[in-house]
Amino acid sequence: MDEWTIKSALEWTEGYLAEKGDESPRVSAQWLLSEATGLSRTHLFMSFDQPLTADERATLRDFVRRRGAGEPLQYITGEVTFRHIPVKVRPGVLIPRPETEVLVSEVLAALPAAGKREARWNEEAAAQESEAVEALKEAVAKAQEALAENQRSAQETSAAPGTQDAGTSQATGAEGASADEAEMQGGSAVGEMAGVPDASPASFAPAASRPLLVADLCTGSGCIACSLAYEHPEVRVIATDIAPEAVALARENVEALGLADRVAVLECSLGAGIGEKRMGTFDAVVSNPPYVPTAVLAEIPREVADHEPALALDGGADGLSVFLPLCEWAARALRPGGVLACELYEDHLDAAAAIAQAHGFESIRIVNDLTNRPRILTARKPAL
């Protein structure tokens, strides 16, 4: 082919990938050509006659070779859309799945909505507010007494001989039209309240509500941690992973999304790197841990088995070898009423629910994924 246009490149790539066993060769061809040319998939179809440059052709050939060898499309393009954010991905770190978007939805639904939480009881602040309210009532009462006294004086003056006209004017001012006089009479008592604690609505407002603290264990690319912080302005996340490659990538995603002040990423096993002082302070513990039973790993697609890290997939003989210590840690880390949410293997949700119940959790729910298979477990630590 002497000259590759967008149209001819799409047709050739689709046919080649179909021969190599790609399950969605047309979609793969569109994504690869879009990445090679910098055009959106929509613009590809508006530019069928546009020729590819030599650099674009070379890039596309490399992409097609890798895809034909079974490398996941996301590793080739280097990015995937997860809920509302772009997430960088690369070999050595698990690719985010649509099922995990459901996990994020469940956590967000379980947390208090932004700006709608009730203030926690503060005895000292409540006492100050009560004193201010009483002072305000007293000041208003005094102002009303002063106004009533002025009205009585005006009426007595209007009744005196020879003063009818002036009295009429004064009475009208005190009772109706003279707003300036009324403000002057009651201003120092009601408006300024000299010597009275500030009783404005702002002084009664509760202190800024504390952030919602979330632990994201086995964070991988950081897609869960970043989504929670991106979508809920009051969320702060401590994310952990045992794999250095995952930690590095998660930190890159945090920085790229401008969330470094709200998401911290630690390299450790589950919550081992989170200090004891944090125990009992988390509003949520969320995780997409390794959960595929070892025997099932032999049956997963070659594209996954050959390219994605086994460390992020293998959940032991029953798929729950990581969930058990995770559940134990969450029982200590959560504050009363806090939520535990995990993505797990479809056939083992009932066993996971029994483990959660044995560790004192209640309100246990099993949520189906987008293919209507049981996938997500949520549970709450009992409130005090």
Side-chain angles (χ1 to χ4, degrees), residues 224-233 235-237 259 262-263:
I224 295 173
C226 290
S227 284
L228 289 172
Y230 182 86
E231 295 184 45
H232 197 310
V235 163
R236 305 294 183 269
V237 187
L259 298 170
R262 296 172 52 207
V263 181

Side-chain angles (χ1 to χ4, degrees), residues 132-189:
V133 169
E134 291 303 318
L136 177 60
K137 289 180 179 178
E138 182 178 349
V140 170
K142 289 181 178 179
Q144 290 174 335
E145 290 177 4
L147 185 59
E149 180 62 30
N150 288 338
Q151 290 173 338
R152 284 195 297 271
S153 297
Q155 291 171 352
E156 291 173 359
T157 302
S158 65
T163 60
Q164 185 65 37
D165 292 342
T168 302
S169 175
Q170 285 180 339
T172 301
E175 292 177 7
S178 182
D180 289 342
E181 184 179 354
E183 180 179 353
M184 186 168 60
Q185 291 169 343
S188 62

Side-chain angles (χ1 to χ4, degrees), residues 114-320:
K116 293 184 179 180
R117 287 181 287 148
E118 296 181 359
R120 293 183 178 276
W121 177 256
N122 183 308
E123 187 173 353
E124 181 179 356
Q128 292 176 349
E129 179 175 333
S130 179
E131 291 174 4
V133 169
E134 291 303 318
L136 177 60
K137 289 180 179 178
E138 182 178 349
V140 170
K142 289 181 178 179
Q144 290 174 335
E145 290 177 4
L147 185 59
E149 180 62 30
N150 288 338
Q151 290 173 338
R152 284 195 297 271
S153 297
Q155 291 171 352
E156 291 173 359
T157 302
S158 65
T163 60
Q164 185 65 37
D165 292 342
T168 302
S169 175
Q170 285 180 339
T172 301
E175 292 177 7
S178 182
D180 289 342
E181 184 179 354
E183 180 179 353
M184 186 168 60
Q185 291 169 343
S188 62
V190 179
E192 299 175 4
M193 290 187 292
V196 177
D198 179 15
S200 64
S203 71
F204 292 161
S209 56
R210 62 170 183 81
L212 294 166
L213 187 58
V214 177
D216 173 23
L217 309 184
C218 308
T219 194
S221 65
C223 60
I224 295 173
C226 290
S227 284
L228 289 172
Y230 182 86
E231 295 184 45
H232 197 310
E234 295 177 17
V235 163
R236 305 294 183 269
V237 187
I238 300 176
T240 74
D241 204 289
I242 197 172
E245 302 88 346
V247 170
L249 180 60
R251 287 173 177 167
E252 284 183 30
N253 280 316
V254 168
E255 289 288 343
L257 291 164
L259 298 170
D261 60 334
R262 296 172 52 207
V263 181
V265 185
L266 306 179
E267 183 179 335
C268 63
S269 176
L270 298 180
I274 300 176
E276 282 297 316
K277 68 178 182 179
R278 296 283 189 188
M279 294 301 97
T281 68
F282 286 91
D283 295 275
V285 172
V286 57
S287 183
N288 176 17
Y291 63 70
V292 181
T294 304
V296 177
L297 283 176
E299 304 170 7
I300 63 176
R302 181 173 62 87
E303 180 177 316
V304 176
D306 290 351
H307 295 277
E308 297 198 62
L311 182 65
L313 296 168
D314 193 345
D318 60 358
L320 298 172

Side-chain angles (χ1 to χ4, degrees), residues 14-157:
E14 180 182 346
Y16 177 83
L17 294 178
E19 292 178 1
K20 293 294 183 179
D22 191 315
E23 293 183 357
S24 303
R26 179 172 298 180
V27 172
S28 293
Q30 292 169 7
W31 277 110
L32 294 178
L33 192 57
S34 176
E35 189 68 20
T37 61
L39 297 173
S40 70
R41 293 170 68 189
T42 300
H43 280 89
L44 289 178
F45 294 97
M46 298 169 61
S47 311
F48 269 173
D49 295 331
Q50 177 178 315
L52 271 64
T53 67
D55 286 344
E56 289 170 345
R57 289 175 62 176
T59 299
L60 181 61
R61 284 195 186 97
D62 179 59
F63 286 171
V64 172
R65 175 189 58 79
R66 293 165 60 185
R67 182 62 185 151
E71 185 173 347
L73 189 64
Q74 296 89 337
Y75 284 158
I76 299 172
T77 62
E79 187 175 280
V80 63
T81 299
F82 184 83
R83 291 181 65 88
H84 305 293
I85 59 174
V87 176
K88 297 178 182 180
V89 294
R90 59 171 171 256
V93 182
L94 193 69
I95 298 169
R97 263 56 173 195
E99 292 85 354
T100 308
E101 296 189 8
V102 178
L103 176 62
V104 174
S105 294
E106 289 299 317
V107 176
L108 289 172
L111 290 173
K116 293 184 179 180
R117 287 181 287 148
E118 296 181 359
R120 293 183 178 276
W121 177 256
N122 183 308
E123 187 173 353
E124 181 179 356
Q128 292 176 349
E129 179 175 333
S130 179
E131 291 174 4
V133 169
E134 291 303 318
L136 177 60
K137 289 180 179 178
E138 182 178 349
V140 170
K142 289 181 178 179
Q144 290 174 335
E145 290 177 4
L147 185 59
E149 180 62 30
N150 288 338
Q151 290 173 338
R152 284 195 297 271
S153 297
Q155 291 171 352
E156 291 173 359
T157 302

